[in-house]
Amino acid sequence: MVLLHLPRTHISLSTHFSLFPKPKTPAFATATTRPPILTSALFSAPQSTLSASEPIPISELPEPQIEPPQEFETHIEIPLEKLFVPPETEVSYTDAGALSTRILKGSNILLSKYARNAQVEQAEFVKSSVRTEDCPSDSLPEFALVGRSNVGKSSLLNSLVRRKRLALTSKKPGKTQCINHFRINDSWYLVDLPGYGYAAAPQELRTDWVKFTKDYFLNRSTLVSVFLLIDASIPAKKIDLEYASWLGQNQIPMTLIFTKCDKRKKKRHGGKKAEENVQDFQELISGFFETVPPWIMTSSLTSQGRDEMLLHMAQLRNYWLKH
């Protein structure tokens, strides 16, 4: 297990829906401010109501949804206080006391009324920048993807837009060296950021990447959320935990995206299932976060988590645009 001595950080859920600078006071209920019925440790309802729900269909998508093969199905029980509840989202129950509000499959995210227009109809590369001030100035909302250099970031981006080469992939990690903007539906951006933690990259390049990436996080007013990619096929890495902690300390909105969830390493080789590594990561960050960030399990190979990511981005984006 990776041990970190990091300051305890509070991330208000409101940071996922606010312009910079971020407010310190939550704009809506957190686990500590909800009514008592929402702060119980676990529901007494059937197991299936606490695990990730069935996929929410995106009716506008022209492509059929791809269900992961049975052996790739994930099942994680989620304590109620660790759910991500978007603002203006009603948490409802059945007569039997089970949670009836939908949870996006393979995540801790409740579906809100803002999850609309989630489909990707058009995607195009716009520009590469090495300074925040050189990024597009059209004020469209954007989501930044960042992670270790071999986490599968470009493959995930290509999977989201169903384009094999929108973002270049390479067997050599560290290919992305700029802030790359991709405009989606002429209305919002996916942003591909340089990977971190690739030791083979020159020290000067690594320093520059860190500098302009952090400047982008701190000063980009149109940033809706950072999607921090974590490799779920391996145990938690210290550098990922430190990166998550830095985002939290600086009140930067963050969603954890667990990649490679189709991989299953054999127990006799010391590996764990993806859902076990996801749970371990949650436990590790719980020591220095007061409110749990939203998270989604994904696989570029099977398209697991694709619809869920698009729906989550849609509800964050639509709330951000309204407010």
Side-chain angles (χ1 to χ4, degrees):
M1 177 178 289
V2 181
L3 297 178
L4 290 178
H5 300 285
L6 297 169
R8 190 171 180 84
T9 303
H10 174 74
I11 291 187
S12 165
L13 296 184
S14 63
T15 60
H16 288 268
F17 306 91
S18 305
L19 285 168
F20 290 106
K22 311 289 187 306
K24 294 183 179 180
T25 303
F28 55 95
T30 65
T32 58
T33 59
R34 298 179 200 146
I37 191 171
L38 296 182
T39 55
S40 58
L42 288 172
F43 274 116
S44 58
Q47 239 180 10
S48 60
T49 64
L50 280 178
S51 61
S53 67
E54 290 303 310
I56 307 298
I58 304 177
S59 57
E60 301 91 340
L61 279 174
E63 308 91 347
Q65 294 185 27
I66 300 177
E67 288 295 329
Q70 186 64 34
E71 65 268 24
F72 294 156
E73 289 293 333
T74 54
H75 183 86
I76 296 180
E77 293 185 4
I78 306 174
L80 183 59
E81 69 273 11
K82 293 186 178 181
L83 290 175
F84 176 78
V85 183
E88 303 177 22
T89 301
E90 180 181 354
V91 181
S92 57
Y93 305 86
T94 65
D95 292 339
L99 181 69
S100 60
T101 306
R102 300 298 297 271
I103 304 174
L104 293 179
K105 187 175 182 179
S107 81
N108 69 333
I109 301 168
L110 292 184
L111 189 71
S112 82
K113 64 181 181 181
Y114 290 99
R116 58 181 184 270
N117 300 323
Q119 73 278 10
V120 174
E121 297 177 344
Q122 181 183 8
E124 61 177 338
F125 171 74
V126 175
K127 67 179 300 187
S128 294
S129 311
V130 293
R131 300 186 306 170
T132 304
E133 52 265 39
D134 295 332
C135 293
S137 57
D138 49 14
S139 300
L140 295 178
E142 55 195 50
F143 298 87
L145 275 62
V146 68
R148 285 189 301 110
S149 295
N150 58 349
V151 76
K153 178 163 49 70
S154 294
S155 295
L156 181 63
L157 195 156
N158 290 334
S159 175
L160 282 173
V161 300
R162 297 198 188 281
R163 293 265 296 277
K164 292 184 178 180
R165 292 182 60 81
L166 182 70
L168 294 178
T169 57
S170 173
K171 292 183 179 179
K172 181 179 180 181
K175 190 174 183 64
T176 303
Q177 299 179 15
C178 300
I179 305 172
N180 296 309
H181 275 75
F182 301 89
R183 189 162 51 226
I184 310 299
N185 301 343
D186 282 328
S187 60
W188 57 282
Y189 286 107
L190 280 172
V191 184
D192 188 11
L193 294 175
Y196 57 83
Y198 181 52
Q203 179 62 43
E204 182 179 352
L205 273 180
R206 295 205 304 272
T207 302
D208 288 345
W209 293 351
V210 169
K211 181 179 179 180
F212 74 65
T213 300
K214 288 187 175 180
D215 180 75
Y216 168 84
F217 289 150
L218 294 170
N219 298 306
R220 186 64 171 167
S221 63
T222 52
L223 178 64
V224 178
S225 183
V226 175
F227 279 37
L228 178 60
L229 275 56
I230 308 295
D231 187 344
S233 70
I234 59 176
K237 294 285 188 180
K238 181 179 179 181
I239 191 171
D240 291 329
L241 295 164
E242 290 176 340
Y243 212 98
S245 176
W246 183 88
L247 290 170
Q249 289 175 48
N250 287 278
Q251 290 290 291
I252 296 168
M254 174 182 65
T255 297
L256 298 173
I257 302 296
F258 292 98
T259 64
K260 305 181 183 181
C261 290
D262 56 283
K263 295 185 180 295
R264 293 289 186 267
K265 294 192 176 180
K266 296 180 179 179
K267 287 279 189 178
R268 64 175 180 272
H269 293 157
K272 288 186 175 182
K273 293 181 178 180
E275 52 266 36
E276 293 176 302
N277 286 325
V278 169
Q279 289 179 315
D280 288 347
F281 196 92
Q282 297 298 321
E283 291 176 5
L284 288 168
I285 67 171
S286 67
F288 49 86
F289 283 93
E290 292 181 3
T291 54
V292 64
W295 54 266
I296 303 173
M297 297 181 68
T298 71
S299 165
S300 298
L301 180 64
T302 68
S303 290
Q304 175 186 351
R306 176 184 182 271
D307 287 357
E308 288 73 21
M309 281 187 67
L310 291 175
L311 283 163
H312 179 53
M313 284 189 282
Q315 61 188 19
L316 295 180
R317 183 175 70 250
N318 289 323
Y319 186 91
W320 185 91
L321 287 168
K322 180 179 178 181
H323 297 83

